[in-house]
Each structure stands twice: as C-alpha cells, then as structure tokens.
Amino acid sequence: MTATGNPEKRKILVQLDGDPHPSVFDRVVAIDAGADEVFSYGGVRPEQVAGLVHGAIFTRGPKDLKRTALFIGGSDVSLGEQLLTAARKAMVPQFGLQVSVLLDANGANTTAAAAVRVAARHLSLKEVPALVLGGTGPVGQRVGLLLAHQGAQVRLASRQVSRAAAACQAILARVPDARLEPVGITNNDELRTALADRVLVIAAGAAGVVLLPESVRAACTSLKVAIDLNAVPPLGIEGLQVTDTAVERQGVVCYGAIGVGGTKMKLHRAAVATLFERNDQVLDATEVYALGDQL
Ligand SMILES: NC(=O)c1ccc[n+]([C@@H]2O[C@H](COP(=O)([O-])OP(=O)(O)OC[C@H]3O[C@@H](n4cnc5c(N)ncnc54)[C@H](OP(=O)(O)O)[C@@H]3O)[C@@H](O)[C@H]2O)c1
C-alpha cells in the first residue's frame, strides 16, 4: 500500500447501460483499454443509479477509488445523460468518495470528437466556416459544440429551423461566444445556400439517409473537407466511400464513417484508460475531444 493507493487492486469498470443487454462493444473496448474487470448492468434507469454508484464508492478507500470507474452507455443518449446526472449526484466528493465517469452513450461523444479531430488534421478550425448536417441529433449537436469550442463559424442544419435554433441555444449555453447560425433545409436550393462559402461539412444525419447529393457538393467551390458519419448505405454524403480516409475527391478531402472510425476507437480506449488515472473526472464531449491532443 502506498500514498497513492494499492497498485495490486484490480481496475474495475462499472458499466451502466440503459439497454436491456449492456453493450458487448463497450465491454470489449473496456478490456482492451486496460480494465481488469467490467461489471455490466443493463436496463438501468436514473432512479437505480444511486444504489449502483454507492456500491462503487463505499467499498474501496479514497486512495484506491481511482481503480474503480464508471462507463455510461446504451443506445439512448438522452437517457445516458440522465444516468450521468444521477451518477454525479450520488457521489460524495467532500469525503473523496467519488469515481471518474465517462459518458459515451451510442458512441456519440467519441464519434463527434473523432469527426472534429479528423477535420483539425486538415484545417485550422478557428474561424473556419462549417456546416453540420443532421445538427440536431446527439452526434450532430456534439459536433456543433466542439466546433464552436474551437472558434469555428458553425451553420447547424435541420429539416426544421426551429429544431436547429434549439440546438444552437443549447450550445450557446455552454459556449457563450459561439458563432452559430441555425438553418432549415428542406430542398436542394436551401442546401446549396447553406453550403455556399463553407470550407468544412460534417454530415451527422440519421443512418441510411442522403443529406448531401453529389451534384450539390460538386457545385460548392469553397469546400475543402467533407466528413460523413453515416455508415449505412446510402451514405449521408453521396459520392464518398464509407472507408474514405483523407481521400481527395474533386479537390475535397473526404472521410467516410469507417475512415473516422480509427480515430474514434483510439479516443474511446484513451478515455477509458484515463478514467483510472484519477477518481474525480467527468469525461463528456469536450473532455473526450481534449484527449485527442495526446493521440
Ligand atoms: N461510428 C459510430 O460508432 C457511430 C456512433 C454514433 C453514431 N454514428 C452515426 O452518426 C450519425 C449521427 O448519429 P445520431 O445518433 O446523432 O443520428 P440520429 O439522431 O438518428 O439523426 C440525426 C439527425 O438526422 C436528421 N434526420 C433523421 N431522419 C432524417 C431523414 N429521413 N431525412 C433527413 N434528415 C433526417 C434528424 O434531424 P432533423 O429532424 O432535425 O432534421 C436527426 O436529428 C448516424 O448516421 C449514425 O449512424 C456512428
């Protein structure tokens, strides 16, 4: 036993998942990222979280609690956010009785962080004119948030401008100096207008839905980087391949969902590994994005 805890204690990741079966994907990544044990709980509801968290924080002493951590997953991102709120509420930080927690429900944080990291390989994001298609979904909102954090000029799109405006308001609440413009897109003319003068486009629309036809993309002369997160055909940006990884098409650097996937996996593993460094971390979209500095 040392002042920093007992290195013999196994690293335990407690997986709280809103789905009936806790994600196998998340369990495998947890092991690959260095967890010795994964305790998986499925069908978790917010009112059940306190009991589960208390089991995690009241067993080991504060010095050893960095060897216990929480992972919040499941396909419902909104439920994941509620589980995170409940988990934070159940901790007792004033006595050091807390554990680090990572939220990555539906892979939304790691996917959004990877997309923006990939864009940053090719562009200085500060001031960059960007369009986020599907900007109201869990991934699109996070992409908008991360781009805004980097100082980009973000046009956030939805089929309904009111939904885009609500998503922009949510981002502004977290990044008060964000430069955001909500847009409603229901036809190719509106899409052309939204894309005009944009240097970066990230498509975060629903799986299997084309949001950017090739003809519209080809007509946009300002575009330099196009990233599509939809892996289910037809793809979100027509003319890209799902495996595109910095493939140049008509002068535009393109990434498909699998092309972004390598960075996403690295961020996911790095985030889980980071949990075991301290017992007071909350890793949400911006914290996961920051981990990309070390990749
Ligand atoms: N690689 C990974 O591990 C990974 C992880 C997570 C997500 N993803 C992918 O990332 C993308 C975004 O994920 P998400 O969960 O945020 O998506 P989502 O919530 O299913 O959809 C995002 C947005 O797409 C728009 N949309 C839905 N149906 C549409 C339709 N028929 N036509 C046009 N727009 C439509 C909606 O915006 P409006 O209603 O406001 O227009 C919705 O908010 C998906 O393609 C998903 O498969 C990949």
Side-chain angles (χ1 to χ4, degrees):
M1 180 75 169
T2 69
T4 56
N6 182 351
E8 302 284 303
K9 295 242 189 224
R10 295 167 77 74
K11 291 182 194 164
I12 299 170
L13 191 68
V14 180
Q15 179 188 20
L16 306 183
D17 195 309
D19 294 346
H21 296 292
S23 159
V24 172
F25 178 97
D26 290 335
R27 297 186 64 174
V28 173
V29 177
I31 295 293
D32 286 351
D36 298 312
E37 300 276 354
V38 183
F39 298 175
S40 298
Y41 298 86
V44 178
R45 293 293 168 266
E47 60 275 16
Q48 298 162 338
V49 168
L52 294 164
V53 169
H54 288 167
I57 64 175
F58 292 139
T59 38
R60 293 171 161 180
K63 286 195 182 96
D64 289 321
L65 279 181
K66 69 178 183 186
R67 290 184 175 78
T68 307
L70 294 185
F71 176 91
I72 296 178
S75 57
D76 182 339
V77 181
S78 160
L79 175 58
E81 287 169 339
Q82 293 172 50
L83 298 182
L84 175 63
T85 301
R88 296 183 74 175
K89 213 166 140 195
M91 311 240 192
V92 193
Q94 59 273 37
F95 299 119
L97 298 173
Q98 60 186 337
V99 294
S100 290
V101 52
L102 165 63
L103 172 65
D104 199 28
N106 209 28
N109 279 335
T110 49
T111 301
V116 177
R117 278 283 163 198
V118 156
R121 280 185 205 146
H122 304 278
L123 300 167
S124 162
L125 296 181
K126 195 166 168 51
E127 313 274 326
V128 79
L131 173 65
V132 182
L133 297 168
T136 57
V139 175
Q141 286 195 45
R142 284 164 170 79
V143 167
L145 172 78
L146 296 172
L147 285 172
H149 259 301
Q150 300 306 308
Q153 302 172 39
V154 184
R155 207 169 265 166
L156 200 81
S158 162
R159 288 169 293 180
Q160 292 174 46
V161 71
S162 59
R163 279 171 54 77
C168 287
Q169 282 305 323
I171 295 172
L172 270 176
R174 297 176 65 180
V175 189
D177 59 348
R179 296 169 70 183
L180 298 163
E181 183 190 345
V183 288
I185 298 177
T186 55
N187 57 50
N188 280 354
D189 284 340
E190 287 170 348
L191 179 58
R192 260 186 286 277
T193 305
L195 190 63
D197 77 3
R198 297 294 99 175
V199 170
L200 168 66
V201 63
I202 299 182
V209 178
V210 179
L211 292 186
L212 179 51
E214 193 161 10
S215 59
V216 177
R217 177 172 58 86
C220 177
T221 52
S222 55
L223 199 61
K224 293 204 163 63
V225 177
I227 298 168
D228 184 18
L229 298 173
N230 165 24
V232 180
L235 301 187
I237 302 181
E238 198 180 35
L240 269 65
Q241 296 291 319
V242 71
T243 51
D244 279 359
T245 308
V247 172
E248 199 169 316
R249 298 183 183 276
Q250 294 117 9
V252 177
V253 176
C254 297
Y255 284 85
I258 292 176
V260 177
T263 303
K264 176 201 150 46
M265 292 305 298
K266 283 184 192 157
L267 282 170
H268 191 158
R269 282 192 292 267
V272 172
T274 300
L275 290 173
F276 296 110
E277 291 174 2
R278 296 201 326 258
N279 73 327
D280 61 351
Q281 306 171 87
V282 178
L283 305 185
D284 207 334
T286 49
E287 294 79 10
V288 171
Y289 181 81
L291 292 172
D293 287 342
Q294 300 146 34
L295 291 182

PDB file of all heavy atoms in Angstrom, residues 25 77 106-108 110-111 134-140 157-160 163-164 203-211 229-232 257 261 264, ligand 1:
ATOM      1  N   PHE A  25     -19.811  -4.331 -27.384  1.00  0.00           N
ATOM      2  CA  PHE A  25     -18.783  -3.459 -27.958  1.00  0.00           C
ATOM      3  C   PHE A  25     -18.071  -2.677 -26.843  1.00  0.00           C
ATOM      4  O   PHE A  25     -16.838  -2.658 -26.754  1.00  0.00           O
ATOM      5  CB  PHE A  25     -19.471  -2.499 -28.944  1.00  0.00           C
ATOM      6  CG  PHE A  25     -18.567  -1.492 -29.594  1.00  0.00           C
ATOM      7  CD1 PHE A  25     -18.055  -1.720 -30.862  1.00  0.00           C
ATOM      8  CD2 PHE A  25     -18.240  -0.290 -28.964  1.00  0.00           C
ATOM      9  CE1 PHE A  25     -17.235  -0.790 -31.481  1.00  0.00           C
ATOM     10  CE2 PHE A  25     -17.419   0.633 -29.571  1.00  0.00           C
ATOM     11  CZ  PHE A  25     -16.910   0.387 -30.830  1.00  0.00           C
ATOM     12  N   VAL A  77     -29.113   8.280 -26.013  1.00  0.00           N
ATOM     13  CA  VAL A  77     -28.161   9.271 -25.486  1.00  0.00           C
ATOM     14  C   VAL A  77     -28.807  10.151 -24.419  1.00  0.00           C
ATOM     15  O   VAL A  77     -28.173  10.504 -23.421  1.00  0.00           O
ATOM     16  CB  VAL A  77     -27.592  10.136 -26.635  1.00  0.00           C
ATOM     17  CG1 VAL A  77     -26.592  11.155 -26.109  1.00  0.00           C
ATOM     18  CG2 VAL A  77     -26.923   9.241 -27.683  1.00  0.00           C
ATOM     19  N   ASN A 106     -24.337   5.512 -27.057  1.00  0.00           N
ATOM     20  CA  ASN A 106     -24.416   5.367 -28.519  1.00  0.00           C
ATOM     21  C   ASN A 106     -23.144   5.841 -29.229  1.00  0.00           C
ATOM     22  O   ASN A 106     -23.184   6.202 -30.414  1.00  0.00           O
ATOM     23  CB  ASN A 106     -25.641   6.111 -29.070  1.00  0.00           C
ATOM     24  CG  ASN A 106     -26.162   5.453 -30.332  1.00  0.00           C
ATOM     25  OD1 ASN A 106     -26.007   4.239 -30.527  1.00  0.00           O
ATOM     26  ND2 ASN A 106     -26.744   6.233 -31.204  1.00  0.00           N
ATOM     27  N   GLY A 107     -22.053   5.884 -28.523  1.00  0.00           N
ATOM     28  CA  GLY A 107     -20.785   6.329 -29.121  1.00  0.00           C
ATOM     29  C   GLY A 107     -20.806   7.792 -29.532  1.00  0.00           C
ATOM     30  O   GLY A 107     -19.954   8.239 -30.315  1.00  0.00           O
ATOM     31  N   ALA A 108     -21.768   8.569 -29.010  1.00  0.00           N
ATOM     32  CA  ALA A 108     -21.963   9.935 -29.513  1.00  0.00           C
ATOM     33  C   ALA A 108     -20.757  10.834 -29.223  1.00  0.00           C
ATOM     34  O   ALA A 108     -20.338  11.613 -30.088  1.00  0.00           O
ATOM     35  CB  ALA A 108     -23.223  10.548 -28.917  1.00  0.00           C
ATOM     36  N   THR A 110     -17.510   9.962 -28.519  1.00  0.00           N
ATOM     37  CA  THR A 110     -16.271   9.576 -29.216  1.00  0.00           C
ATOM     38  C   THR A 110     -16.404   9.801 -30.729  1.00  0.00           C
ATOM     39  O   THR A 110     -15.429  10.188 -31.386  1.00  0.00           O
ATOM     40  CB  THR A 110     -15.916   8.103 -28.927  1.00  0.00           C
ATOM     41  OG1 THR A 110     -17.069   7.286 -29.126  1.00  0.00           O
ATOM     42  CG2 THR A 110     -15.407   7.926 -27.502  1.00  0.00           C
ATOM     43  N   THR A 111     -17.614   9.587 -31.263  1.00  0.00           N
ATOM     44  CA  THR A 111     -17.803   9.792 -32.706  1.00  0.00           C
ATOM     45  C   THR A 111     -17.678  11.276 -33.065  1.00  0.00           C
ATOM     46  O   THR A 111     -16.987  11.640 -34.018  1.00  0.00           O
ATOM     47  CB  THR A 111     -19.190   9.260 -33.146  1.00  0.00           C
ATOM     48  OG1 THR A 111     -19.246   7.861 -32.830  1.00  0.00           O
ATOM     49  CG2 THR A 111     -19.412   9.439 -34.631  1.00  0.00           C
ATOM     50  N   GLY A 134     -27.644  17.352 -40.151  1.00  0.00           N
ATOM     51  CA  GLY A 134     -28.122  16.467 -39.069  1.00  0.00           C
ATOM     52  C   GLY A 134     -27.677  17.026 -37.727  1.00  0.00           C
ATOM     53  O   GLY A 134     -27.378  16.268 -36.794  1.00  0.00           O
ATOM     54  N   GLY A 135     -27.670  18.332 -37.623  1.00  0.00           N
ATOM     55  CA  GLY A 135     -27.093  19.001 -36.446  1.00  0.00           C
ATOM     56  C   GLY A 135     -27.919  18.909 -35.183  1.00  0.00           C
ATOM     57  O   GLY A 135     -27.479  19.375 -34.129  1.00  0.00           O
ATOM     58  N   THR A 136     -29.110  18.304 -35.275  1.00  0.00           N
ATOM     59  CA  THR A 136     -29.953  18.229 -34.073  1.00  0.00           C
ATOM     60  C   THR A 136     -29.854  16.886 -33.361  1.00  0.00           C
ATOM     61  O   THR A 136     -30.360  16.728 -32.263  1.00  0.00           O
ATOM     62  CB  THR A 136     -31.438  18.444 -34.449  1.00  0.00           C
ATOM     63  OG1 THR A 136     -31.788  17.457 -35.431  1.00  0.00           O
ATOM     64  CG2 THR A 136     -31.669  19.830 -35.014  1.00  0.00           C
ATOM     65  N   GLY A 137     -29.212  15.891 -34.002  1.00  0.00           N
ATOM     66  CA  GLY A 137     -29.074  14.588 -33.356  1.00  0.00           C
ATOM     67  C   GLY A 137     -28.001  14.641 -32.280  1.00  0.00           C
ATOM     68  O   GLY A 137     -27.263  15.625 -32.173  1.00  0.00           O
ATOM     69  N   PRO A 138     -27.898  13.590 -31.487  1.00  0.00           N
ATOM     70  CA  PRO A 138     -26.889  13.584 -30.419  1.00  0.00           C
ATOM     71  C   PRO A 138     -25.467  13.810 -30.941  1.00  0.00           C
ATOM     72  O   PRO A 138     -24.686  14.537 -30.323  1.00  0.00           O
ATOM     73  CB  PRO A 138     -27.011  12.191 -29.807  1.00  0.00           C
ATOM     74  CG  PRO A 138     -28.337  11.680 -30.234  1.00  0.00           C
ATOM     75  CD  PRO A 138     -28.723  12.372 -31.492  1.00  0.00           C
ATOM     76  N   VAL A 139     -25.146  13.196 -32.087  1.00  0.00           N
ATOM     77  CA  VAL A 139     -23.792  13.369 -32.622  1.00  0.00           C
ATOM     78  C   VAL A 139     -23.635  14.775 -33.221  1.00  0.00           C
ATOM     79  O   VAL A 139     -22.660  15.479 -32.942  1.00  0.00           O
ATOM     80  CB  VAL A 139     -23.474  12.280 -33.671  1.00  0.00           C
ATOM     81  CG1 VAL A 139     -22.114  12.537 -34.310  1.00  0.00           C
ATOM     82  CG2 VAL A 139     -23.496  10.901 -33.020  1.00  0.00           C
ATOM     83  N   GLY A 140     -24.619  15.189 -34.019  1.00  0.00           N
ATOM     84  CA  GLY A 140     -24.538  16.499 -34.671  1.00  0.00           C
ATOM     85  C   GLY A 140     -24.440  17.641 -33.666  1.00  0.00           C
ATOM     86  O   GLY A 140     -23.669  18.586 -33.855  1.00  0.00           O
ATOM     87  N   ALA A 157     -27.620  22.604 -39.217  1.00  0.00           N
ATOM     88  CA  ALA A 157     -28.795  22.374 -40.057  1.00  0.00           C
ATOM     89  C   ALA A 157     -29.727  21.309 -39.516  1.00  0.00           C
ATOM     90  O   ALA A 157     -29.310  20.340 -38.879  1.00  0.00           O
ATOM     91  CB  ALA A 157     -28.343  21.991 -41.461  1.00  0.00           C
ATOM     92  N   SER A 158     -31.000  21.523 -39.844  1.00  0.00           N
ATOM     93  CA  SER A 158     -32.067  20.567 -39.533  1.00  0.00           C
ATOM     94  C   SER A 158     -33.103  20.701 -40.638  1.00  0.00           C
ATOM     95  O   SER A 158     -33.091  21.675 -41.387  1.00  0.00           O
ATOM     96  CB  SER A 158     -32.704  20.946 -38.188  1.00  0.00           C
ATOM     97  OG  SER A 158     -33.966  20.326 -38.034  1.00  0.00           O
ATOM     98  N   ARG A 159     -34.032  19.746 -40.712  1.00  0.00           N
ATOM     99  CA  ARG A 159     -35.146  19.942 -41.635  1.00  0.00           C
ATOM    100  C   ARG A 159     -36.069  21.033 -41.114  1.00  0.00           C
ATOM    101  O   ARG A 159     -36.809  21.632 -41.861  1.00  0.00           O
ATOM    102  CB  ARG A 159     -35.916  18.630 -41.815  1.00  0.00           C
ATOM    103  CG  ARG A 159     -35.156  17.607 -42.622  1.00  0.00           C
ATOM    104  CD  ARG A 159     -35.815  16.252 -42.548  1.00  0.00           C
ATOM    105  NE  ARG A 159     -35.732  15.697 -41.209  1.00  0.00           N
ATOM    106  CZ  ARG A 159     -36.229  14.521 -40.854  1.00  0.00           C
ATOM    107  NH1 ARG A 159     -36.838  13.784 -41.742  1.00  0.00           N
ATOM    108  NH2 ARG A 159     -36.095  14.083 -39.616  1.00  0.00           N
ATOM    109  N   GLN A 160     -36.007  21.276 -39.807  1.00  0.00           N
ATOM    110  CA  GLN A 160     -36.845  22.335 -39.212  1.00  0.00           C
ATOM    111  C   GLN A 160     -35.950  23.355 -38.544  1.00  0.00           C
ATOM    112  O   GLN A 160     -35.219  23.021 -37.599  1.00  0.00           O
ATOM    113  CB  GLN A 160     -37.769  21.754 -38.142  1.00  0.00           C
ATOM    114  CG  GLN A 160     -38.852  20.841 -38.667  1.00  0.00           C
ATOM    115  CD  GLN A 160     -39.623  20.205 -37.523  1.00  0.00           C
ATOM    116  OE1 GLN A 160     -40.006  20.882 -36.575  1.00  0.00           O
ATOM    117  NE2 GLN A 160     -39.810  18.911 -37.588  1.00  0.00           N
ATOM    118  N   ARG A 163     -35.833  23.480 -34.782  1.00  0.00           N
ATOM    119  CA  ARG A 163     -35.015  22.459 -34.092  1.00  0.00           C
ATOM    120  C   ARG A 163     -33.538  22.851 -34.129  1.00  0.00           C
ATOM    121  O   ARG A 163     -32.810  22.686 -33.143  1.00  0.00           O
ATOM    122  CB  ARG A 163     -35.215  21.088 -34.748  1.00  0.00           C
ATOM    123  CG  ARG A 163     -36.494  20.391 -34.287  1.00  0.00           C
ATOM    124  CD  ARG A 163     -36.815  19.142 -35.087  1.00  0.00           C
ATOM    125  NE  ARG A 163     -35.727  18.163 -35.148  1.00  0.00           N
ATOM    126  CZ  ARG A 163     -35.396  17.331 -34.159  1.00  0.00           C
ATOM    127  NH1 ARG A 163     -36.074  17.363 -33.033  1.00  0.00           N
ATOM    128  NH2 ARG A 163     -34.419  16.472 -34.291  1.00  0.00           N
ATOM    129  N   ALA A 164     -33.127  23.400 -35.262  1.00  0.00           N
ATOM    130  CA  ALA A 164     -31.736  23.862 -35.363  1.00  0.00           C
ATOM    131  C   ALA A 164     -31.485  25.003 -34.371  1.00  0.00           C
ATOM    132  O   ALA A 164     -30.432  25.057 -33.720  1.00  0.00           O
ATOM    133  CB  ALA A 164     -31.436  24.315 -36.795  1.00  0.00           C
ATOM    134  N   ALA A 203     -21.466  15.598 -42.020  1.00  0.00           N
ATOM    135  CA  ALA A 203     -22.822  15.071 -42.089  1.00  0.00           C
ATOM    136  C   ALA A 203     -23.031  14.091 -40.946  1.00  0.00           C
ATOM    137  O   ALA A 203     -22.374  13.054 -40.876  1.00  0.00           O
ATOM    138  CB  ALA A 203     -23.057  14.390 -43.431  1.00  0.00           C
ATOM    139  N   ALA A 204     -23.937  14.447 -40.045  1.00  0.00           N
ATOM    140  CA  ALA A 204     -24.242  13.606 -38.876  1.00  0.00           C
ATOM    141  C   ALA A 204     -25.719  13.249 -38.886  1.00  0.00           C
ATOM    142  O   ALA A 204     -26.371  13.237 -37.849  1.00  0.00           O
ATOM    143  CB  ALA A 204     -23.860  14.341 -37.592  1.00  0.00           C
ATOM    144  N   GLY A 205     -26.227  12.980 -40.067  1.00  0.00           N
ATOM    145  CA  GLY A 205     -27.643  12.652 -40.198  1.00  0.00           C
ATOM    146  C   GLY A 205     -27.923  11.207 -39.839  1.00  0.00           C
ATOM    147  O   GLY A 205     -26.995  10.409 -39.640  1.00  0.00           O
ATOM    148  N   ALA A 206     -29.207  10.889 -39.799  1.00  0.00           N
ATOM    149  CA  ALA A 206     -29.627   9.535 -39.440  1.00  0.00           C
ATOM    150  C   ALA A 206     -29.042   8.510 -40.414  1.00  0.00           C
ATOM    151  O   ALA A 206     -28.780   8.827 -41.582  1.00  0.00           O
ATOM    152  CB  ALA A 206     -31.154   9.462 -39.456  1.00  0.00           C
ATOM    153  N   ALA A 207     -28.861   7.299 -39.932  1.00  0.00           N
ATOM    154  CA  ALA A 207     -28.300   6.223 -40.751  1.00  0.00           C
ATOM    155  C   ALA A 207     -29.167   5.991 -41.980  1.00  0.00           C
ATOM    156  O   ALA A 207     -30.402   6.003 -41.905  1.00  0.00           O
ATOM    157  CB  ALA A 207     -28.230   4.944 -39.910  1.00  0.00           C
ATOM    158  N   GLY A 208     -28.497   5.815 -43.134  1.00  0.00           N
ATOM    159  CA  GLY A 208     -29.207   5.451 -44.361  1.00  0.00           C
ATOM    160  C   GLY A 208     -29.944   6.596 -45.037  1.00  0.00           C
ATOM    161  O   GLY A 208     -30.810   6.354 -45.870  1.00  0.00           O
ATOM    162  N   VAL A 209     -29.596   7.836 -44.711  1.00  0.00           N
ATOM    163  CA  VAL A 209     -30.269   8.990 -45.323  1.00  0.00           C
ATOM    164  C   VAL A 209     -29.230   9.882 -46.014  1.00  0.00           C
ATOM    165  O   VAL A 209     -28.255  10.307 -45.379  1.00  0.00           O
ATOM    166  CB  VAL A 209     -31.015   9.838 -44.255  1.00  0.00           C
ATOM    167  CG1 VAL A 209     -31.653  11.059 -44.900  1.00  0.00           C
ATOM    168  CG2 VAL A 209     -32.063   8.998 -43.539  1.00  0.00           C
ATOM    169  N   VAL A 210     -29.449  10.144 -47.310  1.00  0.00           N
ATOM    170  CA  VAL A 210     -28.542  11.051 -48.035  1.00  0.00           C
ATOM    171  C   VAL A 210     -28.906  12.488 -47.674  1.00  0.00           C
ATOM    172  O   VAL A 210     -30.036  12.924 -47.891  1.00  0.00           O
ATOM    173  CB  VAL A 210     -28.685  10.874 -49.572  1.00  0.00           C
ATOM    174  CG1 VAL A 210     -27.756  11.842 -50.300  1.00  0.00           C
ATOM    175  CG2 VAL A 210     -28.402   9.442 -49.975  1.00  0.00           C
ATOM    176  N   LEU A 211     -27.959  13.213 -47.130  1.00  0.00           N
ATOM    177  CA  LEU A 211     -28.210  14.613 -46.785  1.00  0.00           C
ATOM    178  C   LEU A 211     -27.550  15.567 -47.773  1.00  0.00           C
ATOM    179  O   LEU A 211     -27.962  16.713 -47.895  1.00  0.00           O
ATOM    180  CB  LEU A 211     -27.684  14.916 -45.369  1.00  0.00           C
ATOM    181  CG  LEU A 211     -28.425  14.250 -44.213  1.00  0.00           C
ATOM    182  CD1 LEU A 211     -27.887  14.746 -42.880  1.00  0.00           C
ATOM    183  CD2 LEU A 211     -29.916  14.507 -44.281  1.00  0.00           C
ATOM    184  N   LEU A 229     -20.606  10.681 -41.260  1.00  0.00           N
ATOM    185  CA  LEU A 229     -20.583   9.744 -40.131  1.00  0.00           C
ATOM    186  C   LEU A 229     -21.568   8.588 -40.292  1.00  0.00           C
ATOM    187  O   LEU A 229     -21.626   7.704 -39.451  1.00  0.00           O
ATOM    188  CB  LEU A 229     -20.858  10.508 -38.832  1.00  0.00           C
ATOM    189  CG  LEU A 229     -19.797  11.570 -38.539  1.00  0.00           C
ATOM    190  CD1 LEU A 229     -20.183  12.414 -37.335  1.00  0.00           C
ATOM    191  CD2 LEU A 229     -18.433  10.930 -38.338  1.00  0.00           C
ATOM    192  N   ASN A 230     -22.325   8.612 -41.373  1.00  0.00           N
ATOM    193  CA  ASN A 230     -23.310   7.555 -41.625  1.00  0.00           C
ATOM    194  C   ASN A 230     -22.651   6.391 -42.364  1.00  0.00           C
ATOM    195  O   ASN A 230     -22.201   6.545 -43.493  1.00  0.00           O
ATOM    196  CB  ASN A 230     -24.468   8.160 -42.438  1.00  0.00           C
ATOM    197  CG  ASN A 230     -25.353   7.100 -43.071  1.00  0.00           C
ATOM    198  OD1 ASN A 230     -25.419   5.967 -42.594  1.00  0.00           O
ATOM    199  ND2 ASN A 230     -26.029   7.482 -44.144  1.00  0.00           N
ATOM    200  N   ALA A 231     -22.650   5.234 -41.725  1.00  0.00           N
ATOM    201  CA  ALA A 231     -22.010   4.053 -42.330  1.00  0.00           C
ATOM    202  C   ALA A 231     -23.007   3.154 -43.057  1.00  0.00           C
ATOM    203  O   ALA A 231     -22.631   2.153 -43.646  1.00  0.00           O
ATOM    204  CB  ALA A 231     -21.307   3.238 -41.238  1.00  0.00           C
ATOM    205  N   VAL A 232     -24.294   3.516 -42.999  1.00  0.00           N
ATOM    206  CA  VAL A 232     -25.339   2.636 -43.548  1.00  0.00           C
ATOM    207  C   VAL A 232     -25.790   3.168 -44.914  1.00  0.00           C
ATOM    208  O   VAL A 232     -26.301   4.289 -44.999  1.00  0.00           O
ATOM    209  CB  VAL A 232     -26.553   2.593 -42.586  1.00  0.00           C
ATOM    210  CG1 VAL A 232     -27.644   1.700 -43.141  1.00  0.00           C
ATOM    211  CG2 VAL A 232     -26.122   2.129 -41.211  1.00  0.00           C
ATOM    212  N   ALA A 257     -17.506   7.092 -42.701  1.00  0.00           N
ATOM    213  CA  ALA A 257     -17.659   6.726 -41.289  1.00  0.00           C
ATOM    214  C   ALA A 257     -16.556   5.780 -40.817  1.00  0.00           C
ATOM    215  O   ALA A 257     -16.062   5.902 -39.688  1.00  0.00           O
ATOM    216  CB  ALA A 257     -19.027   6.098 -41.066  1.00  0.00           C
ATOM    217  N   GLY A 261     -13.555   6.080 -38.057  1.00  0.00           N
ATOM    218  CA  GLY A 261     -13.665   5.064 -37.008  1.00  0.00           C
ATOM    219  C   GLY A 261     -12.364   4.761 -36.271  1.00  0.00           C
ATOM    220  O   GLY A 261     -12.384   4.489 -35.074  1.00  0.00           O
ATOM    221  N   LYS A 264     -11.955   7.349 -33.732  1.00  0.00           N
ATOM    222  CA  LYS A 264     -12.985   7.133 -32.691  1.00  0.00           C
ATOM    223  C   LYS A 264     -12.553   6.037 -31.713  1.00  0.00           C
ATOM    224  O   LYS A 264     -12.665   6.194 -30.498  1.00  0.00           O
ATOM    225  CB  LYS A 264     -14.321   6.751 -33.355  1.00  0.00           C
ATOM    226  CG  LYS A 264     -15.416   6.414 -32.356  1.00  0.00           C
ATOM    227  CD  LYS A 264     -16.498   5.591 -33.003  1.00  0.00           C
ATOM    228  CE  LYS A 264     -17.190   4.659 -32.040  1.00  0.00           C
ATOM    229  NZ  LYS A 264     -17.612   5.140 -30.764  1.00  0.00           N
TER     230      LYS A 264
HETATM  231  N1  LIG B   1     -19.346   5.048 -35.928  1.00  0.00           N
HETATM  232  C1  LIG B   1     -20.024   5.063 -34.794  1.00  0.00           C
HETATM  233  O1  LIG B   1     -19.666   4.425 -33.838  1.00  0.00           O
HETATM  234  C2  LIG B   1     -21.238   5.910 -34.695  1.00  0.00           C
HETATM  235  C3  LIG B   1     -21.728   6.196 -33.427  1.00  0.00           C
HETATM  236  C4  LIG B   1     -22.842   7.005 -33.326  1.00  0.00           C
HETATM  237  C5  LIG B   1     -23.458   7.487 -34.474  1.00  0.00           C
HETATM  238  N2  LIG B   1     -22.962   7.170 -35.693  1.00  0.00           N
HETATM  239  C6  LIG B   1     -23.628   7.665 -36.923  1.00  0.00           C
HETATM  240  O2  LIG B   1     -23.621   9.093 -36.845  1.00  0.00           O
HETATM  241  C7  LIG B   1     -24.809   9.608 -37.428  1.00  0.00           C
HETATM  242  C8  LIG B   1     -25.497  10.509 -36.432  1.00  0.00           C
HETATM  243  O3  LIG B   1     -25.925   9.765 -35.292  1.00  0.00           O
HETATM  244  P1  LIG B   1     -27.158  10.270 -34.407  1.00  0.00           P
HETATM  245  O4  LIG B   1     -27.469   9.198 -33.436  1.00  0.00           O
HETATM  246  O5  LIG B   1     -26.892  11.655 -33.915  1.00  0.00           O
HETATM  247  O6  LIG B   1     -28.302  10.328 -35.553  1.00  0.00           O
HETATM  248  P2  LIG B   1     -29.878  10.491 -35.443  1.00  0.00           P
HETATM  249  O7  LIG B   1     -30.251  11.086 -34.134  1.00  0.00           O
HETATM  250  O8  LIG B   1     -30.518   9.210 -35.824  1.00  0.00           O
HETATM  251  O9  LIG B   1     -30.182  11.522 -36.625  1.00  0.00           O
HETATM  252  C9  LIG B   1     -29.560  12.786 -36.676  1.00  0.00           C
HETATM  253  C10 LIG B   1     -30.465  13.786 -37.353  1.00  0.00           C
HETATM  254  O10 LIG B   1     -30.756  13.382 -38.689  1.00  0.00           O
HETATM  255  C11 LIG B   1     -31.967  14.013 -39.089  1.00  0.00           C
HETATM  256  N3  LIG B   1     -32.813  13.045 -39.798  1.00  0.00           N
HETATM  257  C12 LIG B   1     -33.415  11.957 -39.285  1.00  0.00           C
HETATM  258  N4  LIG B   1     -34.124  11.313 -40.241  1.00  0.00           N
HETATM  259  C13 LIG B   1     -33.954  12.036 -41.371  1.00  0.00           C
HETATM  260  C14 LIG B   1     -34.460  11.908 -42.703  1.00  0.00           C
HETATM  261  N5  LIG B   1     -35.252  10.878 -43.068  1.00  0.00           N
HETATM  262  N6  LIG B   1     -34.086  12.845 -43.613  1.00  0.00           N
HETATM  263  C15 LIG B   1     -33.284  13.850 -43.270  1.00  0.00           C
HETATM  264  N7  LIG B   1     -32.785  14.032 -42.017  1.00  0.00           N
HETATM  265  C16 LIG B   1     -33.130  13.130 -41.092  1.00  0.00           C
HETATM  266  C17 LIG B   1     -32.674  14.479 -37.828  1.00  0.00           C
HETATM  267  O11 LIG B   1     -32.599  15.894 -37.809  1.00  0.00           O
HETATM  268  P3  LIG B   1     -33.890  16.838 -38.046  1.00  0.00           P
HETATM  269  O12 LIG B   1     -35.121  16.033 -37.698  1.00  0.00           O
HETATM  270  O13 LIG B   1     -33.658  17.971 -37.111  1.00  0.00           O
HETATM  271  O14 LIG B   1     -33.827  17.222 -39.484  1.00  0.00           O
HETATM  272  C18 LIG B   1     -31.828  13.913 -36.709  1.00  0.00           C
HETATM  273  O15 LIG B   1     -31.777  14.738 -35.572  1.00  0.00           O
HETATM  274  C19 LIG B   1     -25.658   8.391 -37.821  1.00  0.00           C
HETATM  275  O16 LIG B   1     -25.517   8.148 -39.196  1.00  0.00           O
HETATM  276  C20 LIG B   1     -25.086   7.268 -37.000  1.00  0.00           C
HETATM  277  O17 LIG B   1     -25.253   6.003 -37.612  1.00  0.00           O
HETATM  278  C21 LIG B   1     -21.859   6.408 -35.826  1.00  0.00           C
END
